[in-house]
Amino acid sequence: MKVAIDTNSLLSLVRYYLPFDKNYVLHNFIKSKIEKGEIIIIDKVYDECRYTAKGLVIEKLSYLSDKSFHKTAKLPLNTDSLIAPSPKKFLRQVDNQFVNTIVRTQRKLSDVEYENQKNHFMNNADMRLILLCLNLIKDNMLEEVILVTEESEGSNDDKLFKKIPAICKELGINTLTLPHLLGKYDGIEFEFK
């Protein structure tokens, strides 16, 4: 199983799970999954983690700032040259299926304004995660690919583009929340004190 994880999921991990992980079971488990390449942290997510919540994720998962760990885990995964397996089709989907047309109409965006916002969207961490998953699915047809996010498919907070789960649903990418992902793994036993 290959897992691409977003910033909010990593933030939830360090805020809500690790404080109870007195014996570092979960901490070390996540570290080993990242090191083996089973949990993937992309460059855009890593950058967000450095600045979100004053770098709490990098502080609590200290191995994420260790340069030798970066080399062994090939971390973070560079997504600069990542493109969709079928680029023309994907760009049509962005314009027709992933855009919130009501918001676009309400904002009365010109074509130039829309293209600027679309370019920003195409280069943000969420879209880079989606593109990574599409490529992993194409390249690893036998292995399950999951995008872990704490977002819900519903309301998109008046944003121009749909949220991760809604886009993934249309693309056939499996999404899970962090608790559901942890439930899929065998061998994690928590002891709360």
Side-chain angles (χ1 to χ4, degrees), residues 108-157:
K108 298 177 182 158
L109 295 175
S110 70
D111 289 343
V112 172
E113 291 169 323
Y114 171 73
E115 286 300 319
N116 285 335
Q117 289 195 30
K118 182 172 91 172
N119 285 336
H120 176 72
F121 175 69
M122 292 297 292
N123 288 307
N124 75 18
D126 292 352
M127 185 52 70
R128 297 277 120 193
L129 284 166
I130 291 167
L131 290 173
L132 171 65
C133 288
L134 286 174
N135 281 284
L136 288 172
I137 290 167
K138 181 187 86 159
D139 296 340
N140 301 309
M141 293 164 90
L142 300 177
E143 195 167 11
E144 183 179 15
V145 175
I146 297 170
L147 198 157
V148 175
T149 181
E150 302 308 294
E151 289 183 0
S152 62
E153 191 178 334
S155 172
N156 76 337
D157 306 324

Side-chain angles (χ1 to χ4, degrees), residues 10-189:
L10 288 168
L11 192 56
S12 291
L13 174 70
V14 300
R15 278 188 174 157
Y16 308 121
Y17 294 82
L18 292 187
F20 300 103
D21 187 29
K22 302 299 182 199
N23 296 323
Y24 292 90
V25 172
L26 182 59
H27 180 273
N28 293 332
F29 180 81
I30 297 295
K31 179 181 180 180
S32 74
K33 292 296 183 186
I34 292 170
E35 199 165 28
K36 292 176 187 173
E38 293 174 27
I39 294 179
I40 301 167
I41 298 176
I42 65 168
D43 50 2
K44 303 281 185 181
V45 168
Y46 184 80
D47 290 343
E48 285 180 354
C49 286
R50 290 176 41 213
Y51 301 109
T52 302
K54 298 179 183 177
L56 184 66
V57 171
I58 305 297
E59 176 189 328
K60 296 295 181 183
L61 300 175
S62 57
Y63 51 84
L64 292 181
S65 61
D66 180 359
K67 296 214 185 285
S68 62
F69 183 78
H70 281 226
K71 286 181 183 176
T72 58
K74 297 178 181 133
L75 179 74
L77 181 73
N78 187 322
T79 61
D80 288 340
S81 61
L82 205 55
I83 60 170
S86 184
K88 288 181 182 180
K89 177 184 175 189
F90 187 77
L91 288 174
R92 281 193 306 274
Q93 287 177 301
V94 170
D95 290 331
N96 298 314
Q97 294 171 274
F98 306 158
V99 70
N100 186 341
T101 52
I102 295 169
V103 172
R104 184 175 182 190
T105 305
Q106 286 173 342
R107 291 187 188 169
K108 298 177 182 158
L109 295 175
S110 70
D111 289 343
V112 172
E113 291 169 323
Y114 171 73
E115 286 300 319
N116 285 335
Q117 289 195 30
K118 182 172 91 172
N119 285 336
H120 176 72
F121 175 69
M122 292 297 292
N123 288 307
N124 75 18
D126 292 352
M127 185 52 70
R128 297 277 120 193
L129 284 166
I130 291 167
L131 290 173
L132 171 65
C133 288
L134 286 174
N135 281 284
L136 288 172
I137 290 167
K138 181 187 86 159
D139 296 340
N140 301 309
M141 293 164 90
L142 300 177
E143 195 167 11
E144 183 179 15
V145 175
I146 297 170
L147 198 157
V148 175
T149 181
E150 302 308 294
E151 289 183 0
S152 62
E153 191 178 334
S155 172
N156 76 337
D157 306 324
D158 212 28
K159 292 181 182 172
L160 183 58
F161 294 95
K162 294 179 180 178
K163 293 169 102 177
I164 292 174
I167 293 173
C168 287
K169 186 176 183 180
E170 294 197 35
L171 294 171
I173 299 170
N174 294 326
T175 60
L176 289 176
T177 60
L178 184 60
H180 288 107
L181 173 70
L182 294 176
K184 284 184 72 90
Y185 287 121
D186 291 327
I188 304 177
E189 291 185 21

